[in-house]
Amino acid sequence: MEEEPLAAQASAGNAVPAAAYRPGIYSDGMIEALLAEGAIRSAIPLAEGQIQPASLDLRLGRRAWRIRASFLPGANGSVAERIAHYALHEIDLTAGAVLETGCVYIAEVLETLALPEKVSASANPKSSTGRLDVFTRVIVDHAAAFDAIAAGYAGPVFAEISPRTFPVLVRTGSRLSQIRFRRGDARVDDRALLALHQRARLVDQDTALIQDGVALSVDLSGFDVNGLVGYRGKRHTGLVDVDKPGAYRKAEFWEPIHLSGRRELILDPNEFYILASKEAVHVPPDHAAEMVPFDAQVGEFRVHYAGFFDPGFGHAEAGGAGARGVLEVRSRDVPFILEDGQVVGRLIYERMADLPRALYGREKASNYQAQGLKLSKHFID
């Protein structure tokens, strides 16, 4: 039986259990409650806009370290112990610091956690971080996986940062990652996804390809009269200050890609591309979504760094009709031919434990609502 939407439950006068005990993704109001009860802590008060409809932006702390190699602390280890063993030098972030391409850094995060026993969390780079080709992952003590925080975790949070194409300038308070909190298993299975698509139209097609999530394909048909399909990051550019939107000329950092004739693109290994999905995406207010790679067997390439889609993304009432999924694409070991309409990723949907107070792009301004093919907010024409 299909689960009633949260809004329908409330309007029907049903007895709805307290949101904090309902399985699902925590909303902005619930994140504020976690802060109030000390489950999220910070010595510096939160900044304006740091709480999103279904996530919390994480801020870099005062120190970072250049390290020899990426690591996981393991069940019996702490991040601090690994830093002491692998760090090459310490970096003061309070006045700003340049992080170079090809290097790996670990940075303190201002926020620390003392999660309730049944509340877990996951992390992802912010959209602007992913579109700068800055590979960022969250790591915590005793972790066996990146970007995954076990229920009941109490301790510090760190960010692993590795710029791939552009050197970046960061500082204490810079927001590169975001974290989602959840209780229990909130994932929507394929059968329920089909019903949700029929109710809320998750992509702008009558028939969605639903297979372990909603499939997304790449659009190489052209976004203007000149056949623009995407951008390739240039090498040996100037640095990008992550906290300065609209400060850089697009042409100095990006090479536009135009196709004529065959709608296919050869991905060169170790090059970074910004492309867009053929489908317009919709995330209803009572759900959240995350983009994950479709299947490694269909091609050795990565199609995203920043995967969170908040409630209201692409929602017409929030000004998001026609919003595409932007693809941050990097081929791995060999050149790979990408064809127009090829499936490259999928959207996993999860139920919200409570409706957000502010939908993505409506009450809270967003650079990417109603987006098409779009670079990060740092670049202008």
Side-chain angles (χ1 to χ4, degrees), residues 27-33 51-54 285 311 352 354-360 362-364:
S27 66
D28 45 10
M30 298 175 73
I31 294 172
E32 290 176 0
I51 298 178
Q52 301 294 324
M352 295 291 295
D354 196 18
L355 288 172
R357 297 172 181 172
L359 287 182
Y360 181 88
R362 185 168 67 187
E363 291 86 350
K364 298 188 178 183

Side-chain angles (χ1 to χ4, degrees), residues 145-183:
F146 294 104
D147 289 333
I149 302 173
Y153 173 77
V157 179
F158 296 84
E160 179 188 292
I161 308 165
S162 182
R164 305 295 301 275
T165 298
F166 314 124
V168 294
L169 177 61
V170 301
R171 57 187 59 79
T172 300
S174 294
R175 307 181 204 173
L176 301 184
S177 302
Q178 53 192 350
I179 188 170
R180 251 180 200 173
F181 303 93
R182 62 173 53 76
R183 182 182 179 92

